[in-house]
Amino acid sequence: MSESELPSYTELVLLVRELRGELAQTRAELSTARAEITEVRAENAELRRQLGMNSKNSSKPCSSDGFVKPKSLRKSSGRGPGKPTGAPGGTLLQVETPALSAWPSPVRAPSTPGPAMDPVLAPRRIAAAPFTPRVADSPVCLVVGVGQ
């Protein structure tokens, strides 16, 4: 380097003064930023404390807790609903000719001719009746009935 490229002593003094001013300004900004960070952390801690409050750990009424669905204490057994696969049994279906018939003793009036079995207790097949819903709307109530 030649001497003409180097800054003079006066230029260096001015440059140092300028850099010292910038350093002082940066330190002031840093101090302000640190104070703001401290303030925000304190506010955050207070809000977290308030958020954690409920009727159990403060004097707040339980109505201010809001709805929290209670968790069930029951543990899953791992089994599914119904009978185990492969277990005997199941639904008993009505058949035309049962292997065993056990009915209550006959009930009828002594003067009434006819079968010995009470027709109310006798097994019978019921065909599905046609169902036509009818809805009658009134200002007092809603009535739902069956009709043709």
Side-chain angles (χ1 to χ4, degrees):
M1 282 192 171
S2 67
E3 280 190 35
S4 63
E5 294 178 10
L6 295 176
S8 69
Y9 179 77
T10 312
E11 292 174 340
L12 288 176
V13 170
L14 291 175
L15 184 61
V16 168
R17 285 183 183 165
E18 182 182 335
L19 291 176
R20 281 185 179 169
E22 288 180 16
L23 180 61
Q25 182 181 358
T26 304
R27 284 183 178 167
E29 290 173 0
L30 179 62
S31 176
T32 304
R34 283 184 177 163
E36 288 177 7
I37 289 172
T38 304
E39 183 181 323
V40 168
R41 283 184 179 168
E43 182 182 358
N44 189 351
E46 174 63 19
L47 291 174
R48 285 184 183 272
R49 186 188 66 78
Q50 289 176 8
L51 185 63
M53 289 181 136
N54 59 27
S55 63
K56 292 181 181 179
N57 59 14
S58 70
S59 62
K60 293 172 64 175
C62 57
S63 61
S64 67
D65 286 346
F67 179 72
V68 177
K69 186 175 180 181
K71 297 210 178 213
S72 174
L73 299 176
R74 295 176 61 183
K75 304 287 186 217
S76 173
S77 67
R79 292 182 45 210
K83 70 176 183 68
T85 306
T91 304
L92 297 175
L93 302 174
Q94 191 177 37
V95 294
E96 287 295 329
T97 55
L100 178 64
S101 291
W103 297 99
S105 61
V107 178
R108 73 181 173 126
S111 63
T112 308
M117 190 171 294
D118 184 7
V120 174
L121 301 176
R124 60 189 180 275
R125 298 210 172 264
I126 300 174
F131 178 76
T132 308
R134 288 185 312 168
V135 178
D137 198 48
S138 70
V140 177
C141 66
L142 179 68
V143 179
V144 177
V146 178
Q148 267 75 353

